[in-house]
């Protein structure tokens, strides 16, 4: 089961990174969100995966899940949202002001292969 | 015909519903929860009442309950029918769009009617015209539209009209 | 509780679980096999919702049996579902009609010309200078 | 303490001219001279016990962790150099008072000179190698300032820059050498280094140390490969050339050789490098001194040649050679300084330094001519002058240098050749300038310089004569004590007598004198021969190299940083992969000792669906709305995974955040192009795929490695006293709100700031609104579908109820401020979507910024509240109160803190989404469609 | 007897999820894909409740409740996007 979990996290990370390598702001943002999902899964699994564990609530059964990574990931998710929002709106502002949503440094909107 | 709303309990029905939901959420009828539920049941409608569409008042709540029961029964039958239709590979569907002139005016009953139509056998309320007069229904398997229209009017629209309007 | 009661209860729960599963499966099956979008819409809006309803009923009874008092939360979820499912179905079909998805040839009187906007649509393409209040 | 004064006085002296700059020149000169004069007095005072063999020291810890202390020593070698520096310094101060023309600021020159003097004294008296290096770099800096004194002249600026680059680079090499020595010896104090001399010589790092230290010395003393900067340093005013580039600064390199002599010398490597460089420089300098047309150029190259001679002397591993070297240091300083000053006078009087124009000046300035003749005779090694003594010793030493085996005779021969050339250019300096016909079109008619301008030259010439005639009386004991510190042992008995009877060295100096006159006579042939070579101006070559270096740097920077995020991501990922990859390679076996837990059908389906959805997002990224849908599926499956692995809190948050992100991205998508044109070439896609998959593989293996290894979790502390400490059963919420309350406070502030930043960013945003959707269909007329409106209206109270429910139970069961806040935000957003901005605006009249601010405030105040009870910030307290009717309620301050969190989350989320949504509304006609 | 039923039900829901993914991948037009995603939300509610029964803990009802509510909101948002482009007007 650990292998399955690890492969999924790896796959998500790979797709996320592939998207961030694209030349336009929107795929980069989507890529970052995907990457943050995979990182959250990764961090969550630091406390070990409780197959039959109970939620980290006192009195909810002995093999409780590890509450600390959960707390960290919870904070990560919320802050992740705030930052994604900021980046998206930065992208919109860039498009509004610069007229192109390229990230590879070329100005005009025509798609010129650049920024090898 | 909407009577003056009392300041404290703008929509009595909604407050009662909220109280019941709160108790369901808490899964307990302890006095503390009851009090808290009551407080919330009054506070939330008060917060949202000022911009509430004036809703027709419930004339006969008991008819609504019987209406719901009948709808539930229809849903179960509908699902069995649709399942059979989907399952047998050689099913020959006769899908059709049906223009259904609405007699109801108020928004809430119309929504209720549209929901029941979607949930009941073989019909989905596909489109509501802008002026709220016509409802286009997509039926999975129907021979004669007029017969479907009469059946819907007879089974659902008339009771709703009774409950809400007259 | 009399001894014969538990196996019956378990039976009922098992029945509801399996029925729910079957209904959901049929719903998805309909979703995959039916020809055009409008026919596919019937599956999930009806059967899947009922399937999930049955599962919720099963869990209600299950927790009634194990913890001794009725838990109404499942009831609340079912209510939520039965309110939202038709709304989504309606919106989806409205979007489909708007996109003029081609319906199966056998469907009769397909509404081809939906009402056009009564007045020119104000969202014409012009540079908007947005001043936030 | 008095040693420190010797260094401090010139330093303070640097301020004196600046403060007294608008005094008349005479009084300014005297005032400046006071500080070095006192320092000279102190030095002379200490001479007594230096000659008696003691070495007064002074130690003040400065940066002891680096091994750098303010440690000074005053041994024989230091005494010799200090006398040289201060003595000639005083003369230069007097001389430049007359030399500088009216508009040049004398005060600035004096302050630079004083700074330079401090640096030089610092070098020679430093007892700590690092301290010596600090002063070493200070000399480079001050020489840069001094060479560039006439900053309006371009070649002055270029020369200064070149000098700084070369001597600076040498300084760096020296630092490296000192650090290696420190590494070997363990301390930078000179005595410890001296004691560990054999250890250094035998260590395998010795060649490295030797080369580095010699690099420092050779660049400073303008030895052969690095001599090109000295001629171009002549664009400095002549007093500077006289002081820096003859007597002191270039001597620093040779001083380093002398100081390091007991530590590094004695090995064959030392002999080969040092003497060969010295020999080459000797000949190179002598030859070009003959060729140069500029008066100061001749002197510059002769300085190079004489420095080469001293280095050669230090190169012979014999003790007498070192003594000869020290003697020549003194002699060269005296006659070269006076020659430079003479050249200064000629330049000052005639306005030009071009030898071709200067002829027969003895008629105009007979007194200067005599002084110049004595000085240059001393340079040529004419007997009865100090030059002759050290040249004699030099010839004697070159005779018994045996290290070249069969070819050892070559060294005396080349020494004699050097002697011949030096006599030739000394002769040229006198004859060609002061005799040899009439001066041709001089800008100014020459005449005798002012009386006191010649005084310094007279003093120096007097010293040359004194040392030449009575050597043992004047400098014997100074030379003995200096050699003692250089040889770090007993000094061999030597006689400084003028006459040693007829022996081979005397014969060699005779040949040198005769040959010199002959070579001078044939000089025109040499000139024509020299003209065939292309004259390469070192300045241009140097500038060209620097420019080539700058272009190379620019090109590499452009290829590295071209404003493309893709490029930066590429480098970022490659480095990350590299380091993590190396780490993973080091792990012997990926899977730890835990064997894997079994998985059931549901987990497999979940994993497969997440994988497919992730791939779908990547593959369909050009059809943006589809990739968004795939993203939402990934989000859903992630929250299912959290639920499956017993983290209900996370599942709730993930769901809520995922929906809000979806809405946010769709809001943004409306204004961004709906579809991305295909623009990446196949090669680029291939590269990205490879890179991304490599990254994925690394993450997967990392995760697998950690999962299958034991977890030393620290969370049993939290589990244990969540109830007692935080008063709640839901440990995750207790951690968030109580144990790590401060972190959560910071986090909600970030949330608030993000909301505000976005609010500001959206202001005056000029956006292009598409008039129709992707395939040209115009937007549907029905802005707010009626059924959606009613349904969302009925849902709103239920949703608010649910969010209150989640909020209240947060402390004991899954729930809490974050989730409740998000649920409320989603409910309100649903209303925005269904009923539009105007309707919701009327309902929610308050703007969202105050809500977020209030949230942060409440959280902060609850934290601060505990101060009032004397507890540290953010300690929470809780109590159980039983109210008769309601029964037992548990109230905790954490609840208030959670309320703060709730309000901030609602405020920030709505600030972000509502403002984004409102972008278009001001331009919609407000009449509501029925 | 209960475990077998539970296991069958989970298998069925997993199968229906896979079918939804199939429709999501294949779906010729956007509405099909949205329908697929919406059905996945509904199916995942059932799955969460089944987890609850399997792990015999009541902590999962909030998650199910939230999925029901939020699934609706995201589908509505996407449909509004298709209809009007600008979600919040």
């Amino acid at each position: 089961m650990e292998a399955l979990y690890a492969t999924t996290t790896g796959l998500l990370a790979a797709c996320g990174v592939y998207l961030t390598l694209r030349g336009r702001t929107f795929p980069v943002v989507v890529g970052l969100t995907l990457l943050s999902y995979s990182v959250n899964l990764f961090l969550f699994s630091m406390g070990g995966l409780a197959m039959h564990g109970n939620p980290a609530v006192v009195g909810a059964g002995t093999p409780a899940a590890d509450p600390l990574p959960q707390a960290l990931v919870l904070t990560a998710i919320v802050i992740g949202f705030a930052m994604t929002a900021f980046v998206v709106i930065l992208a919109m502002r860039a498009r509004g002001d610069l007229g192109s949503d390229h990230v590879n440094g070329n100005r005009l909107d025509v798609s010129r292969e650049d920024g090898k | 015909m909407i009577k003056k709303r009392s300041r404290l309990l703008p929509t009595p029905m909604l407050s009662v519903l909220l109280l019941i939901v709160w108790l369901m959420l808490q899964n307990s009828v302890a006095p503390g929860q009851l009090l808290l539920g009551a407080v919330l049941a009054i506070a939330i409608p008060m917060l949202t009442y000022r911009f509430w569409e004036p809703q027709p008042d419930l004339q006969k709540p008991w008819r609504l309950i019987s209406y719901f029961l009948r709808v539930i029964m229809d849903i179960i039958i509908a699902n069995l029918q649709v399942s059979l239709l989907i399952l047998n590979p050689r099913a020959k569907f006769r899908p059709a769009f049906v223009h259904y002139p609405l007699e109801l005016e108020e928004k809430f009953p119309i929504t209720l009617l549209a929901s029941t139509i979607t949930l009941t056998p073989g019909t989905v309320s596909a489109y509501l015209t802008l002026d709220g007069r016509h409802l286009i229904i997509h039926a999975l398997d129907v021979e004669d539209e007029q017969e479907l229209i009469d059946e819907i009017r007879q089974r659902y629209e008339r009771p709703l009209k009774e409950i809400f309007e007259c | 509780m009399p001894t014969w009661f538990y196996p019956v209860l378990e039976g009922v729960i098992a029945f509801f679980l399996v029925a729910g599963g079957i209904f959901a499966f049929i719903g998805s099956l309909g979703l995959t096999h039916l020809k055009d979008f409008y026919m596919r819409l019937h599956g999930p809006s009806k059967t899947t919702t009922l399937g999930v309803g049955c599962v919720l009923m099963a869990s209600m009874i299950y927790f009634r049996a194990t913890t001794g008092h009725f838990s109404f939360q499942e009831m609340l979820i079912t209510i939520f579902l039965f309110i939202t499912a038709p709304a989504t179905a309606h919106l989806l079909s409205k979007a489909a009609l708007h996109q003029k998805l081609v319906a199966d040839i056998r469907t009769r009187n397909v509404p081809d010309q939906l009402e056009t906007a009564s007045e020119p649509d104000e969202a014409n393409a012009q540079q908007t200078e947005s001043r936030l209040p | 303490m008095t040693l420190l004064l010797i260094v401090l006085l010139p330093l303070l002296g640097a301020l004196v001219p600046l403060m007294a700059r608008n005094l008349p020149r005479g009084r300014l000169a005297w005032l400046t001279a006071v500080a070095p004069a006192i320092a000279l007095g102190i030095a002379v005072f200490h001479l007594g016990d230096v000659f008696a063999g003691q070495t007064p020291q002074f130690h003040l810890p400065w940066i002891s962790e680096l091994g750098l202390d303010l440690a000074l020593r005053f041994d024989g070698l230091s005494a010799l150099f200090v006398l040289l520096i201060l003595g000639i310094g005083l003369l230069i101060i007097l001389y430049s008072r007359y030399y500088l023309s009216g508009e040049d600021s004398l005060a600035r020159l004096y302050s630079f000179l004083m700074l330079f003097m401090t640096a030089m004294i610092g070098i020679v008296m430093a007892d700590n190698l690092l301290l010596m290096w600090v002063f070493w770099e200070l000399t480079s800096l001050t020489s840069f300032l001094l060479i560039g004194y006439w900053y309006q002249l371009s070649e002055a600026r270029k020369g200064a820059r070149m000098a700084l680059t070369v001597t600076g680079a040498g300084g760096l090499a020296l630092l490296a050498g000192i650090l290696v020595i420190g590494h070997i010896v363990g301390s930078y104090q000179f005595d410890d280094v001296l004691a560990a001399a054999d250890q250094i010589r035998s260590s395998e790092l010795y060649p490295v140390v030797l080369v580095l230290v010699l690099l420092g010395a050779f660049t400073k003393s303008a030895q052969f490969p690095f001599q090109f900067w000295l001629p171009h340093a002549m664009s400095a005013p002549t007093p500077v050339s006289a002081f820096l580039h003859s007597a002191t600064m270039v001597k620093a390199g040779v001083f380093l050789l002398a100081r390091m002599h007991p530590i590094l010398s004695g090995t064959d490597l030392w002999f080969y490098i040092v003497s060969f460089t010295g020999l080459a420089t000797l000949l190179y300098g002598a030859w070009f001194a003959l060729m140069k047309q500029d008066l100061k150029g001749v002197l510059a190259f002769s300085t190079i040649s004489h420095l080469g001679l001293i280095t050669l002397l230090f190169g012979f591993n014999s003790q007498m050679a070192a003594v000869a070297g020290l003697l020549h240091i003194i002699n060269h300083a005296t006659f070269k300084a006076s020659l430079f000053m003479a050249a200064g006078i000629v330049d000052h009087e005639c306005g030009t330094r071009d030898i071709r124009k200067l002829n027969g000046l003895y008629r105009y300035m007979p007194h200067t001519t005599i002084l110049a003749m004595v000085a240059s005779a001393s340079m040529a090694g004419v007997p009865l002058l100090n030059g002759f003594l050290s040249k004699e010793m030099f010839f004697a030493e070159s005779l018994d240098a045996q290290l070249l085996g069969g070819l050892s005779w070559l060294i005396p021969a080349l020494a004699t050749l050097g002697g011949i050339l030096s006599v030739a250019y000394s002769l040229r300096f006198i004859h060609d300038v002061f005799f040899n016909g009439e001066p041709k079109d001089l800008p100014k008619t020459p005449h005798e310089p002012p009386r006191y301008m010649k005084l310094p030259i007279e003093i120096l010439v007097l010293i040359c004569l004194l040392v030449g005639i009575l050597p043992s009386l004047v400098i014997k004991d100074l030379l003995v004590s200096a050699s003692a510190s250089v040889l770090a042992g007993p000094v061999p008995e030597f006689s400084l007598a003028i006459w040693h009877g007829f022996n081979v060295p005397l014969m060699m100096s005779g040949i040198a004198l005769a040959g010199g006159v002959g070579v001078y006579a044939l000089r025109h042939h040499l000139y024509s021969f020299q003209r065939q070579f292309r004259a390469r101006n070192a300045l241009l070559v140097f500038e060209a190299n620097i420019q080539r270096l700058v272009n190379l740097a620019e090109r590499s920077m452009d290829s590295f940083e071209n404003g493309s995020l893709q490029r930066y991501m590429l480098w970022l990922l490659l480095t990350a992969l590299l380091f993590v990859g190396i780490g993973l390679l080091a792990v012997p076996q990926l899977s730890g000792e835990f064997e894997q837990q079994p998985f059931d059908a549901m987990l497999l389906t979940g994993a497969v669906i997440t994988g497919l959805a992730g791939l779908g997002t990547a593959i369909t990224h050009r059809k943006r709305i589809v990739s968004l849908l795939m993203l939402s599926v990934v989000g859903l499956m992630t929250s299912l995974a959290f639920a499956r692995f017993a983290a209900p809190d996370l599942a709730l948050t993930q769901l809520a955040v995922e929906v809000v992100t979806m809405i946010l991205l769709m809001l943004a998508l409306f204004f961004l192009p709906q579809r991305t044109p295909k623009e990446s070439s196949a090669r680029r896609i291939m590269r990205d795929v490879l890179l991304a998959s490599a990254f994925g593989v690394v993450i997967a293996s990392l995760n697998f490695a950690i999962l299958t290894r034991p977890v030393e979790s620290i969370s049993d502390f939290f589990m244990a006293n969540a109830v007692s400490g935080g008063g709640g059963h839901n440990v995750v919420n207790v951690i968030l709100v109580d144990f790590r309350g401060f972190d959560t406070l910071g986090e909600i502030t970030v949330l608030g700031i993000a909301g505000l930043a976005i609010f500001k960013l959206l202001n005056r945003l000029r956006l292009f609104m598409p008039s129709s959707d992707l395939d040209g269909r115009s937007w549907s007329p029905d802005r707010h579908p009626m059924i959606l409106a009613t349904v969302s209206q009925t849902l709103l109270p239920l949703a608010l109820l649910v969010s209150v429910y989640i909020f209240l139970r947060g402390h004991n069961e899954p729930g809490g401020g974050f989730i409740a806040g998000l649920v409320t935000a989603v409910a309100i957003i649903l209303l925005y979507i269904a009923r539009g901005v105007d309707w919701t605006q009327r309902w929610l009249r308050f703007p969202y910024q105050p809500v977020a601010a209030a949230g942060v405030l409440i959280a902060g105040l609850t934290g601060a509240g505990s101060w009032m009870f004397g507890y540290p910030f953010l300690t929470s307290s809780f109590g159980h109160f039983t109210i008769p009717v309601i029964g037992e309620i548990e109230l905790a301050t954490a609840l208030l803190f959670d309320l703060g969190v709730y309000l901030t989350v609602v405020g920030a989320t709505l600030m972000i989404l509502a403002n984004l949504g409102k972008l278009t509304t001001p331009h919609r006609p407000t009449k509501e469609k029925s | 007897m209960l475990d077998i039923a539970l296991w069958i039900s989970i298998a069925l829901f997993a199968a229906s999820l896979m079918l939804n993914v199939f429709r999501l991948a294949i779906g010729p037009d956007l509405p099909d894909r949205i329908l697929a995603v919406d059905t996945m939300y509904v199916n995942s509610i059932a799955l969460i409740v089944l987890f609850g029964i399997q792990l015999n803990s009541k902590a999962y009802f909030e998650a199910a409740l939230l999925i029901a509510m939020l699934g609706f909101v995201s589908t509505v948002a996407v449909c509004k996007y298709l209809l009007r482009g600008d979600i919040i007007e």
Side-chain angles (χ1 to χ4, degrees), chain D residues 556-583:
Chain D
S556 65
M557 269 322 285
D558 282 352
S559 72
F560 194 75
E561 190 163 335
N562 59 358
S564 149
L565 178 66
Q566 294 171 313
R567 171 65 49 81
Y568 304 151
M569 280 295 292
L570 182 69
W571 289 111
L572 191 71
L573 286 175
L574 285 179
T575 25
L577 282 177
L578 186 71
F579 286 117
V580 175
I582 293 168

Side-chain angles (χ1 to χ4, degrees), chain A residues 1 3 10 15 17 19 21 23-24 30 48 52 54 59 61 63 76 80 86 88 97 113:
Chain A
M1 192 268 290
C15 299
V17 160
L19 278 175
L21 285 169
R24 296 291 180 122
V30 170
H52 304 296
N54 308 78
F86 187 71
V88 160
D97 292 359
E113 178 51 306

Side-chain angles (χ1 to χ4, degrees), chain B:
Chain B
M1 82 270 182
I2 304 146
K3 57 188 177 356
K4 179 74 193 66
R5 287 289 169 274
S6 70
R7 196 71 197 85
L8 189 62
L9 259 182
T11 49
M13 267 309 293
L14 183 65
S15 307
V16 166
L17 184 68
L18 285 179
L19 185 62
I20 296 164
V21 165
W22 177 258
L23 292 179
M24 281 156 91
L25 269 176
Q26 293 297 0
N27 266 331
S28 75
V29 198
Q33 297 310 349
L34 232 111
L35 182 64
L36 198 53
V39 163
L40 283 173
I42 293 162
I44 292 184
M46 199 184 291
L47 188 66
T48 55
Y49 165 70
R50 261 190 313 294
F51 300 95
W52 210 265
E53 298 295 323
Q55 283 312 322
D57 210 355
L58 263 178
Q59 305 310 337
K60 303 183 209 32
W62 309 116
R63 291 300 305 276
L64 196 63
I65 310 292
S66 69
Y67 175 79
F68 279 143
L69 286 179
R70 184 188 311 123
V71 162
I72 289 168
M73 286 313 297
D74 289 357
I75 289 171
I76 294 167
I77 302 159
N79 279 330
L80 291 175
Q81 271 176 349
V82 168
S83 318
L84 289 176
L85 264 174
I86 293 172
L87 276 182
N88 80 45
R90 292 177 316 287
K92 42 158 183 48
F93 296 99
R94 291 188 304 280
F97 282 93
V98 171
H99 282 269
Y100 180 83
L102 284 167
E103 282 156 10
L104 295 164
E105 286 86 24
E106 290 305 327
K107 288 201 167 136
F108 192 70
I110 292 179
T111 323
L112 216 60
L113 179 67
S115 310
T116 34
I117 290 174
T118 315
L119 288 174
T120 46
T123 52
V124 165
S125 51
Y127 186 80
L128 183 65
T129 52
L130 289 185
D131 52 13
R133 279 284 160 277
H134 293 279
L135 182 66
I136 301 171
I137 300 169
H138 176 271
L140 205 54
D141 177 16
V142 66
E143 308 87 27
D144 162 16
E145 289 93 358
Q146 193 47 41
E147 186 245 345
L148 177 68
I149 293 169
D150 301 343
E151 195 232 350
I152 292 171
R153 196 177 303 285
Q154 189 272 331
R155 278 181 73 83
Y156 305 118
E157 193 162 11
R158 203 132 289 115
L160 276 179
K161 226 168 157 35
E162 258 169 47
I163 295 168
F164 281 99
E165 253 135 35
C166 61

